[in-house]
Amino acid sequence: MKKIAVFASGSGTNFQAIVDANKGGSLEAEIKLLVCDKPQAYCIKRAVNEGIPSFVFNVKEFASKEEYEKKILQELQAAEVEFIVLAGYMRLIGSVLLQAFAGRIVNIHPSLLPAFPGKDAIGQALQAGVEETGVTIHFVDEGMDTGPIIDQQEVTVSDGETMESLQMKIHEVEHVFYPQILNKILN
């Protein structure tokens, strides 16, 4: 069973979906650590509630990305983490972690990449007026959502769709799809 760390920056709904799939037996992994760059993020409370250790940091306390990634790497090594799962982590992964975990960092993105990379993919899709968007799971490289695509699932954009309604539809897909694909990758 692979030992994983989940990186998150916000409310942690995908983190919770991963935890729930793990507890339910549909994801075989050992969740060793939550890594979070926002000391007030709700995902930290989710980790506490689940008894999962957290490493929480503030980037302003470090001189550079390299410095905070070296600290993250120490935490990952201490927890014997083998694989990194990004779940709403809003920072680009830098060279320290990319080298240490080459081919072992995966991300989920709320669009059908290569369309709408980066922040606010749902808003970008609505603004573009597309009839279909979706969810992409991909390996992480040095670019912004440019790593090799593992799998994608489409989500229909209905007439009159709002940011909130489309986000809800995408979350419904993410919370089932991500644990399924992670299970295939990890096992």
Side-chain angles (χ1 to χ4, degrees):
M1 190 176 319
K2 289 272 191 298
K3 297 173 183 172
I4 68 171
V6 180
F7 286 39
S9 296
S11 65
T13 61
N14 275 311
F15 169 67
Q16 189 68 56
I18 290 164
V19 169
D20 291 347
N22 189 256
K23 289 191 314 191
S26 61
L27 172 61
E28 293 178 38
E30 188 177 345
I31 305 169
K32 298 293 285 184
L33 189 65
L34 169 72
V35 174
C36 181
D37 63 330
K38 304 279 187 204
Q40 303 303 317
Y42 190 73
C43 60
I44 300 162
K45 184 171 182 171
R46 291 180 189 272
V48 169
N49 291 343
E50 297 294 343
I52 296 169
S54 297
F55 172 63
V56 182
F57 67 100
N58 184 337
V59 295
K60 294 177 183 174
E61 296 174 3
F62 295 89
S64 66
K65 178 185 284 260
E66 183 178 355
E67 191 178 306
Y68 72 72
E69 283 203 345
K70 284 180 179 177
K71 180 61 179 159
I72 292 170
L73 183 56
Q74 288 175 350
E75 297 291 327
L76 296 175
Q77 290 169 335
E80 301 178 339
V81 168
E82 300 168 280
F83 205 91
I84 296 172
V85 175
L86 306 183
Y89 183 68
M90 300 307 289
R91 299 202 172 274
L92 285 175
I93 300 296
S95 61
V96 171
L97 292 176
L98 284 171
Q99 289 174 13
F101 285 86
R104 295 179 291 138
I105 306 173
V106 69
N107 186 38
I108 188 165
H109 185 75
S111 77
L112 296 175
L113 291 173
F116 316 123
K119 292 183 179 179
D120 193 28
I122 296 170
Q124 290 179 58
L126 286 171
Q127 190 169 19
V130 296
E131 294 179 5
E132 191 173 76
T133 187
V135 175
T136 299
I137 299 167
H138 65 95
F139 286 107
V140 174
D141 64 11
E142 62 283 339
M144 173 78 71
D145 299 319
T146 57
I149 293 172
I150 299 163
D151 207 347
Q152 296 180 307
Q153 190 164 335
E154 297 83 16
V155 173
T156 301
V157 180
S158 303
D159 288 341
E161 196 84 70
T162 66
M163 182 73 130
E164 294 75 23
S165 65
L166 185 54
Q167 185 173 28
M168 190 180 309
K169 286 164 80 172
I170 286 175
H171 278 314
E172 286 175 12
V173 170
E174 288 177 337
H175 297 168
V176 174
F177 188 51
Y178 204 16
Q180 287 173 344
I181 299 304
L182 287 173
N183 200 52
K184 289 178 184 176
I185 294 166
L186 297 173
N187 299 297

